[in-house]
């Protein structure tokens, strides 16, 4: 019971002790902390999806490199808030080296990947998907190799979690190659994709169904439609906050696909969309390679160089800095010969100032 003489500090201490006692009595209470990396086509809608998942009413801005935000959820009254770390890789496939920054030895056990593919750009689809997943998989496997040596039980837990997406009695259990960490593939801009020729839609849909199933991933098509964004949010919330898996399923190619991991099969997907004679002429070592060849027959890929982000960040208005921009503008106005002279003067000025500070330093005379 609160006493009249209790100070605000006493009340605060009492409240903290009360909460600690509550949590210590309930062994099941623990803070859920997960991390998700969003990557995919440039301008493919990654930021919009993240904002919708976090219920933020903001106008999406282009992602320049690698951006971070987080979200919190409360599972029940007085329980600690669960935390989800959201990383977003910008630039499509132009910044692959940045993938290794958010995925580390410390968080690999709680990490997942969301690959957002722009359905309105089928000629970029396979190249974007292949490059991003290859680099991510290589980095994750390097980490898992280290983890197996230092914490084999953690490595086993990660492997077991991925394998659980496909039961051992599933007919395709021995035919697929699951991604090493949880993966969700989102086909964005369905509203534009829906206007494509029906045969084109069928080829793209079947191909993404195969790829998702082959990697043990979930697949969902979405757009700016609130109903479709909600479906994507269901899958992401499962990864981020441990919400229950959705049991709904939509495999009709004339409608937006929604296929949670492990609920599809090769028999339902069918063979690659090509004639037997054409398939017989294609040399492929794996089923994935065969599907790639068939897909690229209809949608010739853009070269990797064409997918690079060549935009100059210094010209992007969202990163405007008045003083910096004014200085840069002044330097640009200087002609080539004058520019060299000015740069030399700046270098000499820096050297003189540096010399002064160096002379003032008390260097140790001892030689090592």
């Amino acid at each position: 019971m609160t006493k009249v003489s209790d100070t605000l500090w006493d009340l605060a201490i009492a409240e903290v002790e009360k909460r600690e006692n509550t949590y210590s009595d309930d062994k099941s209470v623990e803070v859920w902390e997960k991390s998700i990396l969003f990557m995919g086509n440039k301008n493919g809608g990654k930021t919009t999806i993240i904002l919708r998942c976090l219920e933020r009413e903001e106008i999406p801005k282009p992602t320049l490199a690698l951006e971070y935000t987080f979200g919190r959820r409360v599972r029940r009254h007085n329980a600690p808030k669960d935390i989800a770390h959201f990383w977003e890789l910008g630039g499509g496939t132009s910044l692959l080296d940045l993938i290794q920054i958010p995925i580390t030895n410390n968080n690999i056990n709680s990490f997942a990947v969301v690959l957002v593919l722009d359905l309105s750009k089928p000629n970029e689809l396979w190249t974007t998907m292949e490059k991003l997943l290859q680099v991510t998989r290589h980095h994750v496997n390097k980490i898992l190799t280290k983890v197996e040596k230092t914490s084999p039980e953690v490595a086993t837990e990660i492997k077991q979690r991925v394998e659980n997406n496909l039961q051992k009695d599933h007919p395709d259990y021995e035919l697929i190659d699951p991604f090493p960490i949880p993966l969700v593939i989102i086909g964005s801009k369905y509203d534009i994709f829906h206007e494509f020729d029906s045969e084109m839609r069928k080829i793209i849909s079947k191909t993404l169904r195969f790829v998702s199933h082959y990697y043990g991933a979930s697949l969902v098509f979405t757009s700016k439609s609130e109903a479709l964004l909600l479906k994507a949010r269901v899958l992401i919330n499962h990864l981020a906050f441990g919400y229950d898996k959705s049991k709904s399923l939509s495999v009709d190619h004339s409608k937006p696909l929604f296929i949670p991991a492990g609920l599809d099969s090769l028999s339902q997907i069918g063979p690659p969309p090509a004639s037997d004679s054409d398939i017989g002429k294609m040399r492929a070592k794996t089923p994935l390679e065969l599907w790639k060849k068939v897909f690229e027959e209809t949608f010739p890929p853009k070269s990797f160089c064409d997918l690079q982000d060549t935009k100059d960040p210094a010209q992007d208005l969202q990163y405007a800095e008045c003083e910096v921009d004014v200085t840069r503008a002044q330097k640009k106005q200087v002609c080539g010969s004058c520019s060299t002279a000015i740069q030399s003067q700046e270098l000499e000025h820096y050297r003189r100032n540096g010399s002064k500070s160096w002379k003032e330093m008390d260097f140790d005379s001892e030689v090592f």
Side-chain angles (χ1 to χ4, degrees):
M1 180 180 295
T2 303
K3 301 178 182 178
V4 178
S5 60
D6 284 346
T7 65
L8 184 60
W9 185 249
D10 293 329
L11 295 174
I13 294 176
E15 179 63 22
V16 170
E17 290 177 346
K18 177 182 176 182
R19 293 185 181 183
E20 288 179 346
N21 291 334
T22 300
Y23 299 146
S24 63
D25 292 339
D26 186 355
K27 301 299 183 181
S28 64
V29 174
E30 60 177 318
V31 177
W32 175 287
E33 189 168 357
K34 299 291 182 178
S35 300
I36 301 177
L37 172 62
F38 287 76
M39 57 188 186
N41 292 92
K42 178 178 171 58
N43 298 322
K46 300 181 292 296
T47 306
T48 299
I49 294 170
I50 292 174
L51 292 175
R52 185 64 190 88
C53 288
L54 297 177
E55 299 180 352
R56 294 180 185 171
E57 299 296 333
E58 302 175 19
I59 298 176
K61 296 180 180 180
T63 304
L64 180 63
L66 183 67
E67 295 191 0
Y68 167 82
T69 188
F70 68 94
R72 292 177 176 173
R73 292 287 187 276
V74 179
R75 275 177 286 178
R76 64 188 187 190
H77 183 62
N78 284 336
K81 290 184 178 180
D82 296 329
I83 302 173
H85 305 280
F86 290 83
W87 296 86
E88 181 184 357
L89 180 69
T93 56
S94 64
L95 300 168
L96 296 174
D97 290 344
L98 297 181
I99 288 175
Q100 60 187 306
I101 294 176
I103 311 177
T104 67
N105 295 21
N106 296 328
N107 64 16
I108 190 66
N109 191 34
S110 59
F111 213 97
V113 171
V114 174
L115 176 64
V116 181
L117 299 174
D118 189 338
L119 296 175
S120 69
K121 300 176 181 178
N123 297 88
E124 298 180 12
L125 191 151
W126 193 284
T127 303
T128 299
M129 173 184 65
E130 185 176 59
K131 290 292 181 181
L132 289 170
L133 291 184
Q134 279 181 351
V135 172
T136 304
R137 185 167 206 158
H138 177 70
H139 177 61
V140 170
N141 284 337
K142 282 177 60 178
I143 292 178
L144 290 178
T145 299
K146 295 178 181 178
V147 172
E148 285 179 348
K149 297 178 181 178
T150 58
S151 305
E153 67 284 353
V154 174
T156 301
E157 182 183 343
I158 295 172
K159 183 178 180 181
Q160 187 64 48
R161 188 182 304 121
V162 173
E163 292 179 348
N164 287 342
N165 283 332
L166 197 68
Q167 300 300 321
K168 291 186 177 181
D169 58 352
H170 193 288
D172 304 332
Y173 187 80
E174 300 294 336
L175 303 175
I176 67 172
D177 185 18
F179 205 69
I181 56 178
L183 172 66
V184 169
I185 297 178
I186 298 179
S188 65
K189 301 187 181 180
Y190 178 79
D191 51 336
I192 300 176
F193 171 76
H194 187 61
E195 302 300 322
F196 285 8
D197 173 78
S198 60
E199 191 59 30
M200 291 175 61
R201 295 202 311 270
K202 184 178 180 181
I203 294 173
I204 296 172
S205 296
K206 287 191 66 174
T207 300
L208 287 181
R209 281 184 66 184
F210 171 80
V211 170
S212 298
H213 184 58
Y214 185 77
Y215 284 130
S218 297
L219 175 66
V220 59
F221 284 0
T222 189
S223 68
K224 292 183 179 180
S225 160
E226 190 66 24
L228 293 185
L229 280 172
L230 182 59
K231 288 190 173 184
R233 184 182 173 192
V234 167
L235 293 177
I236 295 171
N237 277 339
H238 171 67
L239 296 178
F241 302 108
Y243 287 10
D244 292 339
K245 286 185 177 180
S246 174
K247 295 182 180 180
S248 63
L249 183 69
S250 176
V251 296
D252 187 344
H253 297 147
S254 64
K255 299 178 181 179
L257 298 181
F258 183 84
I259 311 172
L263 297 186
D264 213 342
S265 68
L266 295 177
S267 60
Q268 293 178 350
I269 296 170
S275 65
D276 292 341
S277 59
D278 288 339
I279 291 178
K281 298 175 184 177
M282 297 178 181
R283 296 180 179 180
K285 298 180 180 179
T286 65
L288 187 66
E289 188 177 344
L290 177 60
W291 277 84
K292 175 183 178 180
K293 290 180 178 295
V294 171
F295 183 82
E296 292 183 344
E297 280 291 319
T298 305
F299 304 105
K302 287 189 175 183
S303 67
F304 182 56
C305 294
D306 292 339
L307 298 178
Q308 299 295 301
D309 186 9
T310 57
K311 182 178 179 181
D312 182 4
Q315 305 301 322
D316 197 323
L317 294 179
Q318 69 170 320
Y319 302 107
E321 291 287 348
C322 184
E323 294 182 1
V324 175
D325 294 339
V326 169
T327 303
R328 291 186 72 257
Q330 291 173 347
K331 287 183 177 293
K332 279 188 175 182
Q333 293 175 359
V334 181
C335 65
S337 59
C338 294
S339 176
T340 302
I342 288 177
Q343 289 175 0
S344 298
Q345 292 174 8
E346 290 178 345
L347 181 60
E348 178 62 21
H349 179 69
Y350 173 78
R351 187 189 66 77
R352 272 195 252 104
N353 287 340
S355 297
K356 292 177 182 178
S357 60
W358 298 334
K359 291 175 182 178
E360 295 171 358
M361 294 181 183
D362 183 18
F363 289 101
D364 193 335
S365 58
E366 183 178 352
V367 178
F368 293 91

